[in-house]
Amino acid sequence: MHLGSVYLIVRDFNKSISFYEKLLEMPVSSQNMERFAQFEFDGKNISIMNGYFDARNPNLTVRKGKYIEEFDNLVAIVEAENTHKFVLNLWTENLEQERDRIKQLNLSEQLTSIKYINNVSPYYYFQLTDPDGNVIEITGPYSPRRGEFDK
């Protein structure tokens, strides 16, 4: 088995594309109307799927096989409460510089400071949310200031 893509089913397709283009510093790699867009990373993809497209354009979608509400009702999925059980993790070469860049872009009202955790191995990270409330964790090398995590 191989990872092909991670799908994010979104409420506002264009807003989400704009958010991820700025966050990832890359344009959409490919797009299918306003239904689906993807950002490719060496054969792996983060895909943006418009949760309303199929319902608003039934003449453009052909489905075969048994309809299963839990998987196939994209409107219900996109309108469901975000429980934060999914985290998109990205890695950067310079954590402090990346956080400063994202802060200057004013991409998210939910942007944490740099944090530290040590369970199996130590690492530094910060978090933010996308327009649908999905949590994004960004990790990478960081040199803390003296006493920064002493509290």
Side-chain angles (χ1 to χ4, degrees), residues 2-34:
H2 305 277
L3 176 64
S5 187
V6 173
Y7 285 73
L8 300 174
I9 301 172
V10 302
R11 292 177 190 234
D12 187 325
F13 186 70
N14 292 318
K15 184 176 183 178
S16 292
I17 287 176
S18 177
F19 174 90
Y20 280 98
E21 283 181 331
K22 291 173 187 169
L23 177 70
L24 301 172
E25 296 184 287
M26 65 187 305
V28 165
S29 303
S30 62
Q31 184 171 335
N32 180 355
M33 295 179 280
E34 288 201 3

Side-chain angles (χ1 to χ4, degrees), residues 56-74:
R56 292 177 180 160
N57 300 280
N59 57 324
L60 296 176
T61 304
V62 175
R63 293 189 178 272
K64 295 183 180 184
K66 183 177 179 180
Y67 177 88
I68 300 173
E69 184 79 13
E70 182 179 5
F71 300 123
D72 298 322
N73 187 340
L74 297 179

Side-chain angles (χ1 to χ4, degrees), residues 8 42 51 75 105 118 144:
L8 300 174
D42 300 320
V75 172
L105 289 172
N118 184 354

